[in-house]
Amino acid sequence: MAEPNPALHLKTLRRRAQRVLWWERAWEPLRWPLLLVAFYGLACLARIPQSLPDWLHALLEIGVLGAALWLTVTGLRRVAPVGIPAADRRIEHDSRLARQPLLSLTDRPAFAGNGEQSAIWARHVERVTASLGTLRVGLPHPETSLQDRIGLIAVPLALIGAALLASTHTPSRLYAGLVPGMDDDSVPLPTLQAWIDRPSYAPGAPIFLSSTGRTTLDVPQGSILNATITGAHGKPALSGIASPEQSRLDAGSWNSHGTLQQSGTVRIVVRGRTLGAWRVTVEPDLPPTVTWDGKPGPQKDDWRTGLPWLIHQTYGVESLEAEIHLPGLSRGRILRVPIPLDGHPKDAKGIATPDLSSDPFAGMDVEGRLHAKSVSGRESRSDPVKFQIGARKFTDPLARALVALRRRLMLGQERASKASDELALLTQTTDERAILAALGLEIASLRKDAPQGSADRVPGDLWALALYLDDLRRDGPEIADAAAEVRAAQQGVQQQLDHMRDLGEKGHTLPEQEELQRRTQALKDALNRRMQLLFSRAAQSGIMMPQSGTSSADPFSDEMRRLQSEANQGHGDEALRRLQQMEDMAERMRQARPEDLKALAAQMKAQAEAQAQRAALHDLVHRETTLLDHTQSRLSAARKAAAPPDDGNPPDVSQMSTADLLRQLGMQPPAGMDQPADKPPAPVDPATVAAQSDGRRSDHALQRALQRVNDILSHRVKDLTGKPATAFDKAKTDMQSAREALADRKDADAQTAEQKVLTDLSEAGKQMRQNQKSGGSGKGGQGGGSLSFIPSGGAGGSGKPQHGAKGQQGDDGDQPQAGDEDGDDEDQKDQDPLGRKLGEGDKGKDSDAHIPDKSARDRARDIERELRRRASDRTRPQSELDYLERLLKSF
């Protein structure tokens, strides 16, 4: 290891000695600033500055720390710099060197005339440096008086003592004392009440927040965070929210709110302390997803246009419409067709069937897209699709010519003057005075000298005239006049419904309702007159028209009453939908022909067969239930014989499982709760089982017969509807399992199999009714649809399902429809709407009710108390606690 250079080492020691001497000289001017800072620290630990108003706290801090800084700067300026001789003296003193040898290092010879003397002096300096030995510099030790030494001991001890008393609040107190406007941890936190209000497009209960609540919250975009802070000594700060707003309620209370637009951490801070922080995940309000759910186009054997649609939006769709235009049309006309929705669906599909035959686009290849608007105002459009609009087929040549002229006129492909000349030529094709008068009026309306606006009603008049001509050619003048009267009444009701909807709340006034009642009565009278004409014409021809299936004196009263009620309640869309159904019914009212009666006979035969099948299924279910009763009776008797003697006391509810308690109340426990299947089966008495062989043998034979009936019924259902009911096959398999269990004397297994059979038969009944309602194509001919020439109040006359409203999925479920004579099972007869039996005496409405005795009521109360005790036991599984909480709300 190389020897250190003595000269370099001495130079380092001189710099250190200079610093030590400087600090000793600086102690005198620094002791007062340090004392001021120490006293301010003690005051902070004692919470003296924090208790002052913020402005006074800031003034005090500025004054104390400013004075300390000024004393420090001015004092340090008076400190004289330390020279090398003073540093050498300090080194000699701390190294205990005698006779000041370092003077030789800075001294010079008096006469250094030649080089020999200089060399001798340099050699002397080297010997002195080498002989110095180990040099050192001690720590600063300024000269202090007794008072200074007492202060040096007392002040740090006071600081340490104050820090120990403050304990864990020491850092926060020092921070709050140095930063005005901050509170330390020992100050009680203000009271916070915070909640999130969901936006109007996503209704729901408010989400109440707490500082110890959930760490992550999922909220819709546009939700509003509201916070009320009570007992605050300063203005709260709200971060993580776009454009927060705050208002002061009183001296110590604030209200803050802001809109949540993006995910992040929301934090409420008061005087440097966090009252609450939540991680918020904002679910974006995306535009609705809207697509075509198939190919639009004309309905089969109908002039209506099918518009299949599919929509999805997280918070619901407010409106849906189809935008249709003709490619290449210079004027760019757009046909907007509203599609009614059932409320504000979030995920729905359906097919709208509007009557667009009166539009000039009817029968033409058009391009259309769907336009959806969500409840939050977001809009989107589907991809365009090319399709054809349904059109009426007119049999009268003049009617076809009028419709073609009307189309060209509405699409701007023909001028009014030229259309007037063409109408003048068409007058030569008929000699009917009524037609000539109507055409003359239209010709006058299209002339250049016609009054302003008279040409606007020409397209509507031409359409009505074309419909009248077609009815006149097919049914004669009386029925054509009646049909025209019906259409005029329908237009009046439509105008009143639109007027009431545009008025909003003002449209529900008594005068508006009376006007609607007057117009609906006129429509009903017109429909009745047309129907009477049809029946009268049929009687003259020797054809007996079948009556409608409605229970009213006429098939229109119920529909008119419902239409008026919906309009008065503000359900304009429902009223318009019902009016559309009535229009369909009116359009399809016609005189019956022989082929219609043949179709009616086939339909009635199919309905009789369907009713017989339902009766057979009902009997099959009844007999299978009897088998289940027999099996359960045998099993109960065998278990009772094998059970130990009963002491007469009911079992202890505290020892029973939660699932058993629910069964004691007659309730089915939810899935996942301790299931009875996990328990070993109860023992049975072998002697009793052997004694029951005769009854079991009889049930085995009956089960075999029922299995055969099930096969026959399955084939008949398939022959009638053309669609199999797969639940019959499952019932056959479970019946075979029940037979095998009965043969093996296993009543427990037979009971399980028979219960499955009943479930299968119930599902088979649903499938059977659904297939019959859908109008199968089996040997039965006609399905369950209605005939077009018979007005049937609730079906709309077409026998086709209406979509776009209730029943969006095209499936009306398993509920009986109005006017469906086969919709009710036999076991649903003689019952009131609550399912109670009707009759007199012992068979009255309440004959099947059971009034529990006092012991049963006490038993139920004991079970309820036990359930409440278990609901308060927080050590139980959370799923069980949630279920018990929901269950006990009903008590």
Side-chain angles (χ1 to χ4, degrees):
M1 184 175 179
E3 291 290 337
N5 188 349
L8 184 59
H9 180 60
L10 180 60
K11 185 177 181 180
T12 303
L13 285 178
R14 283 174 173 170
R15 288 198 298 267
R16 186 184 303 172
Q18 287 177 327
R19 289 195 298 268
V20 168
L21 290 173
W22 187 89
W23 278 112
E24 289 178 352
R25 296 177 183 180
W27 165 249
E28 184 67 23
L30 288 178
R31 56 181 180 174
W32 296 113
L34 291 176
L35 188 60
L36 280 176
V37 172
F39 282 157
Y40 189 78
L42 286 172
C44 293
L45 293 175
R47 302 190 64 252
I48 294 176
Q50 299 93 306
S51 63
L52 300 175
D54 291 341
W55 65 272
L56 189 56
H57 179 184
L59 287 179
L60 176 62
E61 183 176 355
I62 292 173
V64 172
L65 298 184
L69 180 61
W70 180 78
L71 291 174
T72 300
V73 173
T74 57
L76 292 180
R77 286 180 177 177
R78 294 195 301 266
V79 177
V82 180
I84 292 179
D88 289 344
R89 302 294 78 75
R90 184 57 180 266
I91 294 173
E92 294 170 348
H93 179 270
D94 292 345
S95 303
R96 298 183 180 181
L97 299 178
R99 296 182 293 276
Q100 298 180 348
L102 296 182
L103 288 174
S104 301
L105 302 180
T106 58
D107 197 6
R108 293 290 184 271
F111 301 100
N114 52 37
E116 183 178 357
Q117 291 179 351
S118 297
I120 294 173
W121 182 255
R123 182 62 179 167
H124 171 68
V125 171
E126 291 176 0
R127 284 200 304 267
V128 172
T129 302
S131 63
L132 291 177
T134 302
L135 301 178
R136 66 177 60 89
V137 177
L139 297 176
H141 50 278
E143 296 181 0
T144 56
S145 61
L146 178 60
Q147 295 178 349
D148 293 340
R149 288 192 292 270
I150 294 175
L152 287 175
I153 296 174
V155 172
L157 289 178
L159 288 172
I160 294 173
L164 292 176
L165 290 176
S167 184
T168 56
H169 301 304
T170 298
S172 65
R173 289 189 179 184
L174 291 175
Y175 179 76
L178 293 174
V179 182
M182 300 294 177
D183 284 339
D184 56 79
D185 295 342
S186 59
V187 177
L189 280 173
T191 302
L192 171 66
Q193 292 181 348
W195 68 94
I196 294 177
D197 288 328
R198 299 169 65 89
S200 58
Y201 66 82
I207 303 174
F208 291 93
L209 308 176
S210 64
S211 57
T212 58
R214 292 177 294 175
T215 56
T216 303
L217 301 171
D218 296 330
V219 298
Q221 185 178 3
S223 298
I224 299 177
L225 174 69
N226 296 277
T228 301
I229 299 96
T230 306
H233 299 291
K235 185 177 180 180
L238 193 61
S239 61
I241 292 183
S243 303
E245 298 181 4
Q246 295 179 335
S247 60
R248 190 162 191 167
L249 304 178
D250 55 36
S253 300
W254 295 79
N255 177 263
S256 303
H257 60 274
T259 305
L260 299 171
Q261 296 291 352
Q262 58 184 4
S263 302
T265 300
V266 178
R267 183 175 285 104
I268 299 178
V269 179
V270 177
R271 296 183 63 83
R273 304 174 67 194
T274 301
L275 298 185
W278 307 274
R279 177 66 185 176
V280 177
T281 301
V282 176
E283 299 176 358
D285 177 26
L286 301 176
T289 301
V290 53
T291 57
W292 293 101
D293 191 34
K295 177 70 174 179
Q299 296 288 92
K300 184 179 180 181
D301 300 330
D302 194 3
W303 59 80
R304 289 189 174 275
T305 304
L307 303 175
W309 52 268
L310 175 65
I311 55 174
H312 170 75
Q313 214 276 342
T314 306
Y315 306 110
V317 178
E318 182 179 24
S319 63
L320 178 66
E321 66 176 7
E323 299 176 344
I324 303 173
H325 68 279
L326 188 65
L329 188 64
S330 58
R331 294 177 59 182
R333 177 179 181 270
I334 297 180
L335 171 62
R336 303 184 186 275
V337 182
I339 298 177
L341 300 175
D342 184 15
H344 297 151
K346 299 179 181 179
D347 195 350
K349 65 178 180 179
I351 175 171
T353 56
D355 182 7
L356 305 179
S357 59
S358 61
D359 193 84
F361 289 163
M364 305 180 69
D365 293 329
V366 296
E367 185 177 81
R369 64 175 65 198
L370 295 171
H371 173 212
K373 182 179 180 181
S374 68
V375 293
S376 58
R378 305 297 298 274
E379 301 182 23
S380 65
R381 288 176 171 81
S382 67
D383 295 333
V385 173
K386 293 184 178 180
F387 59 94
Q388 189 181 64
I389 294 182
R392 290 176 182 261
K393 296 180 180 178
F394 291 91
T395 58
D396 186 80
L398 180 56
R400 291 199 297 267
L402 292 177
V403 170
L405 174 62
R406 171 179 177 268
R407 172 184 297 172
R408 295 193 301 272
L409 189 62
M410 293 182 68
L411 296 181
Q413 298 174 349
E414 189 163 334
R415 294 191 302 273
S417 58
K418 188 176 180 181
S420 175
D421 296 339
E422 188 172 344
L423 283 176
L425 294 175
L426 290 177
T427 57
Q428 303 176 10
T429 62
T430 181
D431 54 358
E432 291 286 342
R433 293 186 177 181
I435 304 300
L436 292 174
L439 289 177
L441 180 62
E442 307 308 325
I443 292 172
S445 300
L446 292 174
R447 296 293 185 185
K448 293 182 179 180
D449 55 352
Q452 184 71 22
S454 59
D456 296 339
R457 60 178 180 83
V458 171
D461 294 344
L462 291 179
W463 179 254
L465 186 58
L467 293 176
Y468 179 78
L469 286 170
D470 207 54
D471 291 338
L472 183 66
R473 182 183 184 88
R474 184 179 65 245
D475 300 324
E478 292 184 351
I479 296 180
D481 291 341
E485 185 181 0
V486 169
R487 284 191 287 269
Q490 288 173 346
Q491 185 176 4
V493 174
Q494 175 82 43
Q495 292 174 352
Q496 179 64 16
L497 290 176
D498 293 339
H499 177 65
M500 294 176 66
R501 184 175 59 179
D502 294 338
L503 290 178
E505 293 295 332
K506 297 181 180 179
H508 304 160
T509 59
L510 183 60
E512 298 295 340
Q513 294 178 7
E514 292 177 348
E515 177 64 20
L516 177 63
Q517 183 178 5
R518 186 186 65 79
R519 297 193 181 193
T520 53
Q521 182 63 37
L523 175 58
K524 186 179 75 169
D525 295 342
L527 289 170
N528 285 331
R529 279 193 292 273
R530 185 177 182 189
M531 188 176 66
Q532 292 300 326
L533 285 173
L534 290 175
F535 276 70
S536 176
R537 179 70 62 84
Q540 294 173 4
S541 303
I543 299 177
M544 182 61 65
M545 286 283 285
Q547 298 294 330
S548 66
T550 59
S551 59
S552 305
D554 60 77
F556 313 109
S557 297
D558 293 341
E559 290 298 309
M560 292 295 179
R561 188 164 50 251
R562 296 191 188 100
L563 184 148
Q564 186 175 349
S565 175
E566 289 165 353
N568 294 337
Q569 295 174 7
H571 303 157
D573 292 338
E574 291 292 336
L576 291 174
R577 188 182 300 115
R578 194 170 297 277
L579 179 62
Q580 183 187 66
Q581 294 175 0
M582 296 186 65
E583 291 176 0
D584 293 344
M585 181 172 61
E587 289 291 342
R588 288 175 172 80
M589 285 172 54
R590 57 178 173 80
Q591 182 179 355
R593 296 188 291 266
E595 57 269 22
D596 296 328
L597 299 180
K598 181 179 179 181
L600 176 63
Q603 180 179 352
M604 295 178 65
K605 181 179 179 181
Q607 290 179 351
E609 173 66 17
Q611 187 172 2
Q613 291 177 7
R614 284 194 286 273
L617 178 62
H618 174 70
D619 183 68
L620 182 61
V621 171
H622 175 71
R623 294 182 181 274
E624 189 67 34
T625 304
T626 303
L627 285 181
L628 179 60
D629 292 340
H630 293 171
T631 304
Q632 291 176 338
S633 298
R634 290 193 302 268
L635 188 61
S636 177
R639 288 176 177 173
K640 184 176 181 180
D646 189 6
D647 57 0
N649 295 324
D652 186 6
V653 295
S654 63
Q655 303 299 324
M656 299 172 64
S657 66
T658 303
D660 291 336
L661 287 175
L662 296 177
R663 295 187 191 93
Q664 288 284 329
L665 292 174
M667 304 175 63
Q668 185 66 24
M673 195 172 287
D674 43 347
Q675 297 292 333
D678 299 335
K679 301 180 180 180
V684 296
D685 181 35
T688 305
V689 173
Q692 296 169 343
S693 297
D694 293 339
R696 195 177 292 106
R697 189 179 303 109
S698 176
D699 288 350
H700 182 275
L702 180 57
Q703 184 67 82
R704 181 173 182 177
L706 295 181
Q707 185 175 352
R708 179 59 180 162
V709 172
N710 178 79
D711 293 341
I712 296 174
L713 185 57
S714 176
H715 291 305
R716 291 180 62 181
V717 169
K718 184 176 180 181
D719 292 341
L720 177 65
T721 64
K723 301 177 183 178
T726 57
F728 283 115
D729 297 334
K730 295 176 61 179
K732 178 181 179 181
T733 303
D734 292 330
M735 286 181 179
Q736 182 64 32
S737 301
R739 288 178 53 198
E740 295 174 356
L742 291 172
D744 296 338
R745 297 184 177 182
K746 297 179 179 179
D747 285 330
D749 295 342
Q751 172 184 322
T752 303
E754 288 164 356
Q755 290 173 342
K756 292 181 179 179
V757 170
L758 290 175
T759 303
D760 297 336
L761 293 178
S762 176
E763 182 64 26
K766 294 179 181 179
Q767 294 178 359
M768 183 174 66
R769 288 190 293 271
Q770 188 174 5
N771 293 344
Q772 291 170 357
K773 288 178 182 179
S774 63
S777 58
K779 296 179 181 179
Q782 296 292 332
S786 60
L787 295 176
S788 62
F789 65 92
I790 303 177
S792 56
S798 63
K800 298 181 181 180
Q802 297 296 326
H803 300 271
K806 297 178 180 178
Q808 297 283 352
Q809 309 301 330
D811 183 7
D812 54 1
D814 192 40
Q815 300 299 326
Q817 301 298 318
D820 186 5
E821 297 177 356
D822 301 327
D824 299 330
D825 292 334
E826 293 294 332
D827 57 349
Q828 293 177 337
K829 294 181 179 180
D830 299 330
Q831 291 183 354
D832 68 356
L834 297 179
R836 298 175 298 190
K837 297 179 181 178
L838 299 175
E840 298 178 357
D842 294 338
K843 296 182 180 180
K845 294 182 179 181
D846 297 329
S847 62
D848 58 349
H850 172 67
I851 301 177
D853 55 14
K854 184 175 184 300
S855 61
R857 293 195 299 268
D858 293 341
R859 178 74 172 169
R861 281 195 292 268
D862 292 340
I863 294 176
E864 179 187 349
R865 283 194 293 268
E866 177 62 22
L867 289 175
R868 291 190 183 278
R869 185 190 66 80
R870 297 188 183 190
S872 62
D873 183 5
R874 312 315 294 179
T875 62
R876 293 183 175 272
Q878 187 62 38
S879 58
E880 180 177 340
L881 293 176
D882 294 341
Y883 178 79
L884 290 176
E885 183 179 356
R886 294 194 302 269
L887 173 65
L888 292 173
K889 287 181 179 179
S890 61
F891 283 91

